[in-house]
Amino acid sequence: MSQVQQSMALLISAFHKYSGKEGDKTTLSKGELKDLLNAELGDVMGKNTDQAKVDKIFKDLDANADGSVDFQEYVTLVACLTMMCNEFFTKK
């Protein structure tokens, strides 16, 4: 697989590692999202121990306001973080 294909597979794998622990396998609950953020993105976003901060991130990600974060909403977060990292590293 190419590097891009490997990256896509890792994104999918990371989502499904956390989704479904509290119910629906195709979405992330607030608790599942918190676990994913801390374990997979803690170095970029910082550890999210403040529940109000997690609530805000969850609300911002839940674009369709259905009370869960689906794969598209998760990928939007990763894409935005990737763009921010790219800007940071290309400015150095």
Side-chain angles (χ1 to χ4, degrees):
M1 278 196 286
S2 72
Q3 287 182 325
V4 172
Q5 290 170 326
Q6 289 174 9
S7 298
M8 290 167 51
L10 288 171
L11 280 173
I12 293 166
S13 176
F15 179 84
H16 290 292
K17 179 178 177 181
Y18 298 92
S19 68
K21 290 182 178 182
E22 298 177 11
D24 188 348
K25 292 182 190 180
T26 64
T27 62
L28 296 166
S29 67
K30 197 176 289 183
E32 292 165 342
L33 177 66
K34 181 179 179 180
D35 291 346
L36 184 149
L37 291 173
N38 286 330
E40 306 292 337
L41 295 168
D43 293 342
V44 176
M45 296 185 67
K47 296 292 180 185
N48 293 297
T49 55
D50 178 6
Q51 190 59 44
K53 185 177 177 184
V54 173
D55 290 345
K56 173 148 180 34
I57 293 168
F58 187 86
K59 184 177 183 239
D60 290 345
L61 286 178
D62 186 14
N64 61 359
D66 67 350
S68 62
V69 172
D70 63 25
F71 188 76
Q72 182 174 342
E73 293 162 336
Y74 155 77
V75 169
T76 300
L77 167 68
V78 175
C80 289
L81 289 172
T82 303
M83 290 170 33
M84 290 170 55
C85 289
N86 180 58
E87 287 176 20
F88 176 80
F89 289 117
T90 56
K91 287 183 181 180
K92 282 192 167 192

